[in-house]
Amino acid sequence: LALREDLNKQYEEAKAKGLKLDMSRGKPSSAQLDMEKDFLGMVISDADVTTETGVDCRNYGLLDGIPEAKKLLADMLGVSPENVIVFGNSSLSVMYDTVARSMLLGVLGSTPWCKLDKVKFLCPVPGYDRHFAFCEHFGIEMINVPMTDNGPNIKVINELIKDDSVKGMFCVPKYSNPQGITYSDETVKALAALNPAAKDFRIIYDNAYCVHDLDKQGDKLLNIFDELPKNNNEDLVIMVASTSKITFAGSGVSCIIASGNNLDDIKKRLKIQSISQDKMNQLRHFKFFENVENIKAHMQKQAVILKPKFDCVINYLNNELANKEIASWYVPHGGYFISLDIMPGCAKRVGQLCEEAGVVLTTIGATFPYGKDPQDSNIRIAPSYPPIDELSKAANLLC
């Protein structure tokens, strides 16, 4: 009773401060965006606007991206430039397009999904709300697959893919959203060896945080494209990535990495959809970074800004909630989120109390399909955007 009264008193005091803090989305902070001022001010002269193959970036052409950008992104992701198509700023748009193309046109000559009675996707949970929104938008039934410390539960996946109406799976293999788990080598190998009943099954491999380490060691993710040929599964995976949290969040470049068969299928549609992407932006990115080593060095500078924010939240969790058997969390080595699990049935109430006191969290339940957390226990914390003094107040209030 005394503890309850003390906590209520602390809460009312916090509420009286009139806080207005937003921890709802994983946005880069102003300090991170300010690192790119040189990028914004970079001037490309008339003599610099042609690619190494002589194409003028100001004009139409090179629908799949300039060679320099393809190589830069390929090196960042450990693949061959021949397996890369470069797009505009949004990898979300690329993923949406991938699902829409499969719905309308099918996958490599298969029946378009829109003509099937049922289409299902596997969804590692907790997971990324935007992936779930795609599926719900297209009327795709979502099936929860529990996450483990090593990635999604492979035994569950292998059972579910015996159903030929299961057509795909979204996943974030490095620093998963929201838990920050990097898939183990065994999990990556098992995904590469899947034998789904549906031949048009695709893993949409959202490698959003491929270079987003919080320290110099970071986590190492096995390259799934090295594993796919060992299982004659080259067409199984479509990877997407972008520079949206590397340069400017709204003005980066994105890409698809896939097999030759998949890319040929995608290019057929691209020829109808567009004449070319923004090659000048691709050229700016190449000239700003030049090579993958400079990208990694740049991301270490971002880590200097981000890591203290993650440490701030983790310290509050450790100091306020450790050993009380009411909460658990992962300590991520990169990415953009911290996943907090509290007692079942309490997450929505915690979110409501935080909002009433001026702290906005990610919508409770958003880390599960249809916004329904079966346990009502998961809370996604996004430490990146607020200044650390505000973040400290928000973390204290949450605890």
Side-chain angles (χ1 to χ4, degrees):
L1 182 61
L3 175 61
R4 181 182 180 87
E5 289 177 353
D6 179 52
L7 291 174
N8 278 332
K9 181 174 179 291
Q10 290 183 48
Y11 175 72
E12 292 302 327
E13 289 173 352
K15 198 172 178 181
K17 293 177 181 177
L19 301 175
K20 292 184 179 180
L21 310 177
D22 190 345
M23 295 170 63
S24 62
R25 304 303 310 183
K27 297 191 296 185
S29 66
S30 296
Q32 288 172 260
L33 298 176
D34 286 345
M35 289 175 58
E36 276 70 61
K37 284 183 177 177
D38 290 343
F39 181 85
L40 187 64
M42 189 169 58
V43 177
I44 300 176
S45 69
D46 289 346
D48 293 334
V49 296
T50 57
T51 69
E52 62 186 34
T53 55
V55 174
D56 189 334
C57 290
R58 299 170 300 180
N59 214 328
Y60 296 131
L62 291 183
L63 185 58
D64 58 349
I66 67 172
E68 295 90 336
K70 292 176 73 170
K71 184 178 187 310
L72 183 67
L73 293 168
D75 289 347
M76 184 176 80
L77 294 158
V79 297
S80 169
E82 288 73 29
N83 294 108
V84 177
I85 296 177
V86 187
F87 290 87
N89 73 295
S90 174
S91 58
L92 285 172
S93 295
V94 174
M95 287 186 281
Y96 181 97
D97 238 18
T98 299
V99 178
R101 183 178 63 254
S102 303
M103 291 293 295
L104 293 171
L105 304 173
V107 177
L108 291 181
S110 66
T111 302
W113 294 352
C114 66
K115 295 183 178 180
L116 301 175
D117 292 334
K118 182 75 71 173
V119 176
K120 304 172 186 176
F121 255 56
L122 307 183
C123 299
V125 292
Y128 183 24
D129 54 332
R130 299 279 184 150
H131 293 163
F132 306 149
F134 291 154
C135 292
E136 192 164 5
H137 174 75
F138 286 107
I140 296 171
E141 180 183 332
M142 292 176 274
I143 304 173
N144 291 3
V145 174
M147 284 285 287
T148 73
D149 291 347
N150 297 311
N153 190 308
I154 296 297
K155 289 183 179 179
V156 172
I157 291 172
N158 276 320
E159 281 300 312
L160 291 170
I161 61 174
K162 293 176 182 178
D163 178 356
D164 66 2
S165 68
V166 174
K167 298 298 185 181
M169 180 175 80
F170 278 109
C171 61
V172 181
K174 186 172 182 182
Y175 305 133
S176 66
N177 182 347
Q179 291 168 302
I181 293 170
T182 296
Y183 294 5
S184 68
D185 290 358
E186 291 73 20
T187 296
V188 174
K189 289 177 181 179
L191 289 175
L194 291 181
N195 184 26
K199 298 309 175 187
D200 51 349
F201 179 97
R202 291 293 180 270
I203 299 173
I204 301 178
Y205 212 64
D206 185 0
N207 206 353
Y209 307 115
C210 55
V211 289
H212 296 66
D213 304 318
L214 289 174
D215 52 51
K216 288 185 178 179
Q217 289 73 36
D219 290 346
K220 305 302 179 188
L221 176 68
L222 186 68
N223 191 336
I224 197 167
F225 286 98
D226 290 338
E227 300 300 318
L228 292 169
K230 299 175 184 178
N231 302 281
N232 295 318
N233 257 348
E234 288 89 342
D235 297 336
L236 182 67
V237 172
I238 294 176
M239 182 193 287
V240 300
S242 79
T243 67
S244 288
K245 291 185 176 75
I246 298 174
T247 52
F248 293 129
S251 306
V253 291
S254 63
C255 61
I256 270 183
I257 297 91
S259 68
N261 288 334
N262 281 322
L263 292 186
D264 287 344
D265 201 37
I266 293 167
K267 288 176 185 178
K268 289 177 186 176
R269 183 262 311 166
L270 277 181
K271 291 176 182 177
I272 306 300
Q273 185 180 22
S274 179
I275 297 175
S276 69
Q277 304 293 336
D278 184 349
K279 295 188 295 298
M280 289 298 289
N281 195 30
Q282 295 176 27
L283 187 64
R284 278 192 293 270
H285 276 76
F286 168 71
K287 289 185 175 294
F288 186 69
F289 288 117
E290 295 184 341
N291 56 58
V292 69
E293 288 74 22
N294 288 337
I295 291 179
K296 292 178 179 178
H298 178 82
M299 295 309 291
Q300 282 303 307
K301 293 176 183 177
Q302 286 209 20
V304 172
I305 298 171
L306 280 171
K307 191 172 189 306
K309 296 185 177 186
F310 276 75
D311 290 345
C312 171
V313 174
I314 295 297
N315 287 339
Y316 270 102
L317 297 179
N318 285 334
N319 293 334
E320 300 292 334
L321 302 181
N323 302 319
K324 293 181 181 177
E325 298 182 353
I326 60 173
S328 62
W329 56 91
Y330 288 88
V331 180
H333 298 140
Y336 259 66
F337 303 102
I338 297 169
S339 181
L340 175 66
D341 287 306
I342 62 175
M343 293 185 294
C346 295
K348 286 184 179 178
R349 179 61 174 154
V350 168
Q352 178 188 5
L353 288 170
C354 282
E355 187 171 3
E356 290 174 1
V359 173
V360 179
L361 301 173
T362 299
T363 302
I364 304 301
T367 51
F368 285 78
Y370 310 107
K372 296 178 180 178
D373 176 356
Q375 296 294 314
D376 184 24
S377 64
N378 185 253
I379 297 173
R380 187 181 81 167
I381 303 170
S384 59
Y385 186 71
I388 201 159
D389 58 332
E390 293 185 5
L391 184 64
S392 179
K393 295 174 186 176
N396 185 46
L397 173 69
L398 173 62
C399 290

